[in-house]
Every structure is written in structure tokens, then in C-alpha cells.
Amino acid sequence: MTNMTLPSRVKIVEVGPRDGLQNERSLVPLEVKVEFCNRLSAAGVQNLESASFVSPKWVPQMASSGEVMRAITRRPGTIYSVLTPNMKGFEDALAAQADEVVIFAAASEAFSQKNINCSIAESIERFVPVARAAKAAGLRLRGAVSCALGCPYEGEVSVGAVVEVADRLAQLGCDEIDIADTIGVATPRKTAAVMDAVSRRLPIGQLSGHFHDTYGQAVANIYASLEVGISIFHSSTAGLGGCPYAKGATGNVATEDVLFLMEGLGIETGIDLPAIVATGQWISGWLGARAASRAGNALAARARA
Ligand code: HMG
Ligand code: MG
């Protein structure tokens, strides 16, 4: 079998230290966060979402983001990204020497209110100066569209709403737009339809898939996205994560599962799967939970045998 239509290489954005840890109830010590980031970059992660400059009242777990950014060992060539919902977040990100900042909007009004306390239109207005400042500082800029495949409050989200928000983020100068299944409800045909619709408005190389794995569909959704030409995917080692403002949503698709899929398809990621498996087992052990990665647990068991 040959790879006729799939890319030969994909970009993986590891979001475990941010999307993963932001949802942990007990406070994860600074040194564990730092070691997590360092292990991930040492495993070959070239895009690492390492922190989040949001209000510590809203997400206490991310309060140590400045310290994390200052303490990690920067691997040359790795792009360290952070969430910045407003100018306060951006200034902190700049001081912490982030390489890339992420503005995050939603395709659903109810989720926008719950997550960032404003309407979609207000959020875009708030992002204008952040985007301008990021460009002026020479930073990469990424934009996320939450609830692109379903909303915990509104249910169905129209494809038109996703295209509209993605387009507005692109107009702000985003280098990359993340199409996010915040609550992991998507199935492959729906995913393909949304990705296809957005790619009719924006260059497909600018789009990424950010899938939570709540209903076990994320790997299937990634495959469907690959087939329509998406070549950037977000994942979280050990499947950590969830959004504090998306009740019932579990973690992102596990990096181990995505790497196993890509290896099987002959698609390069530049990331060392055994090193990620070991990191996933280590962070899960630290958190006192079993890793939420089928491939990770299977490979770890095989390595122990
Ligand atoms: P607000 O309360 O409306 O903001 O929150 P405000 O401007 O009125 O400020 C209130 C207080 O927060 C003030 O402090 C500000 O200084 C402080 P006070 O005077 O009361 O002491 N503040 C900040 N502090 C630190 N850093 C900041 C910051 N901004 C204000 N950047 C705000 C609005 C957006 C700040 C708040 O709603 C917030 O932080 N929301 C973030 C929620 C969040 O982090 N959600 C999870 C990440 S998104 C996600 O997981 C989805 C994603 O993975 C994709 C997907 O799966 O869908 C990306
Ligand atoms: Mg997420």
C-alpha cells in the first residue's frame, strides 16, 4: 500500500503541560511541570504548549506559568507557546520569552461567556491589540476555535459559525488556526465536513486539529482530517487534560496514540515514541492515575515484559 494522499510528515503540537495540567485539581509543583516540559522537548517535541497566562482566579493551576517558562531548559528549535486571552496575558508572555502566543475564541456564544467572560465579538476586539503586539514583537500567533464540533451548553454548532470565527482569527494575522473539538463529541464525517468547509475559506496548511478524546473518537477524527489534507495535530502526553469550563470533557487525544497511528501510516513526526511513552507513564504515576493512552499503556507493558 502506498501513501497516495496522506502527508509524509505532520506537525504535532504537544499541549500536555497546558491543556493537560490546567484541569488537574491538585496543584502540580513547579518542578514537576518543568521536568514534564523538559522530558517532552528532549523526546523531540518541536512545538510545546507549555503555559497559560490567564487569570489565576479562573485557572489556579496555571498561576506558576511565568516561573515554568523561566525554569525550563529551552531546546533549540522548539517553539514554546502560551495562551494569552488579553494584553495582560500577552505582556506576561513577552516577559517570559514565549515564542508563540495563542488567542482563543469559540464558535459558540455560551461557551465564550463561560470560558472568557465575554461574547465572541468582544473577544475578537480584545484580541486585536494582542495580535498587533505579537506581530510587532516578532512572535508567532495562533488562534483557537473552541466548540467547533459541539458545545457543552448549546449542543450543535453550525459549520458557518466555525468558518466565520476561523476567518476572523486569520484576519487578525494568525499563522495557524486550531479547529477544536473541546468536548470530544465529533465523529469522522462531521470532522471532515468542518475541516473541508474551513479549508475552502483559509489555506489548509494553516489549519490544525485539536481533538479531545471524551468519546474515544479522536484518532478516527485525526485520520479523517489527514484525508482532507490537515497536517497539524494537537495532542497531550498520557491523554491528560480537559477544559475547566467544559464540564464532562476529558483530555486531549494522547500523544502516544497519535504517534502510534502516524508510525503505522509511515508519517514522520520527529518525536521519539518510546520516550513519550516513558514520559506519559512518569507524569501519570506522579498524578496518581493510569495514563489515558491505549497505545502508551500497551507499549509500556511490552517494555516491562
Ligand atoms: P474577567 O474576570 O472578565 O477579566 O476574566 P477582567 O479583565 O475583568 O479581570 C479580572 C481580574 O483578573 C483582574 O484582577 C485582572 O487583573 C485579572 P483583580 O483586579 O480582580 O485582582 N486578569 C489576569 N490575571 C492574570 N493574567 C491575565 C489576566 N487577565 C485578567 N491574563 C479572562 C477574563 C479572559 C481573564 C478570564 O475569563 C480567564 O482568564 N479565562 C481563561 C479561561 C481558561 O483559561 N480556560 C481554559 C483555556 S481555553 C481551552 O482549554 C480550550 C482550548 O484547549 C481549545 C479547546 O479545546 O477548545 C484552547
Ligand atoms: Mg483543549
Side-chain angles (χ1 to χ4, degrees):
M1 206 178 72
T2 53
N3 263 348
M4 295 292 290
T5 54
L6 304 185
S8 57
R9 189 181 175 90
V10 292
K11 167 175 164 179
I12 303 292
V13 180
E14 165 68 45
V15 298
R18 196 281 302 169
D19 207 339
L21 295 185
Q22 77 177 8
N23 213 35
E24 285 299 319
R25 280 180 198 282
S26 52
L27 226 53
V28 179
L30 175 65
E31 53 276 18
V32 173
K33 293 180 178 177
V34 170
E35 184 171 348
F36 191 27
C37 288
N38 289 346
R39 281 178 179 245
L40 291 166
S41 60
V45 167
Q46 296 127 58
N47 293 272
L48 184 54
E49 202 167 278
S50 36
S52 182
F53 290 103
V54 297
S55 163
K57 288 182 192 143
W58 285 62
V59 188
Q61 189 66 258
M62 291 288 112
S64 59
S65 286
E67 293 159 85
V68 170
M69 292 296 286
R70 275 178 272 277
I72 55 180
T73 305
R74 301 292 177 105
R75 180 177 174 266
T78 293
I79 293 171
Y80 294 85
S81 55
V82 300
L83 263 53
T84 52
N86 51 24
M87 279 307 287
K88 160 96 179 93
F90 177 78
E91 278 149 22
D92 291 347
L94 198 60
Q97 297 188 313
D99 303 304
E100 179 179 71
V101 295
V102 185
I103 51 182
F104 47 108
S108 128
E109 283 293 349
F111 187 79
S112 184
Q113 290 290 351
K114 296 275 185 194
N115 195 38
I116 48 175
N117 206 22
C118 62
S119 69
I120 298 170
E122 284 164 347
S123 73
I124 301 290
E125 282 310 306
R126 206 178 271 177
F127 297 149
V128 170
V130 178
R132 199 174 291 140
K135 292 285 151 183
L139 302 188
R140 273 193 114 248
L141 178 66
R142 189 142 62 68
V145 184
S146 286
C147 296
L149 288 134
C151 169
Y153 308 102
E154 293 179 8
E156 286 289 315
V157 170
S158 79
V159 175
V162 180
V163 174
E164 195 53 40
V165 175
D167 193 27
R168 290 167 86 174
L169 289 173
Q171 281 170 27
L172 291 184
C174 285
D175 299 294
E176 223 163 282
I177 312 283
D178 310 327
I179 306 300
D181 184 9
T182 312
I183 53 172
V185 287
T187 44
R189 290 218 168 140
K190 175 141 191 225
T191 298
V194 169
M195 292 301 192
D196 185 61
V198 182
S199 72
R200 285 170 198 275
R201 183 77 68 88
L202 302 173
I204 198 152
Q206 239 181 302
L207 307 180
S208 79
H210 175 111
F211 298 104
H212 285 257
D213 203 20
T214 318
Y215 291 84
Q217 305 296 301
V219 165
N221 291 328
I222 289 174
Y223 191 76
S225 303
L226 280 172
E227 284 193 322
V228 297
I230 305 292
S231 59
I232 310 172
F233 297 100
H234 295 192
S235 62
S236 169
T237 290
L240 298 177
C243 176
Y245 299 99
K247 289 223 176 322
T250 60
N252 300 86
V253 64
T255 306
E256 297 90 319
D257 295 354
V258 177
L259 298 184
F260 188 81
L261 171 74
M262 296 304 169
E263 279 198 14
L265 294 170
I267 297 174
E268 272 180 53
T269 63
I271 303 175
D272 181 35
L273 176 53
I276 291 291
V277 169
T279 301
Q281 299 293 307
W282 167 78
I283 190 72
S284 303
W286 202 93
L287 296 170
R290 183 169 158 81
S293 167
R294 301 281 288 269
N297 290 336
L299 291 167
R302 205 159 78 187
R304 279 194 300 269

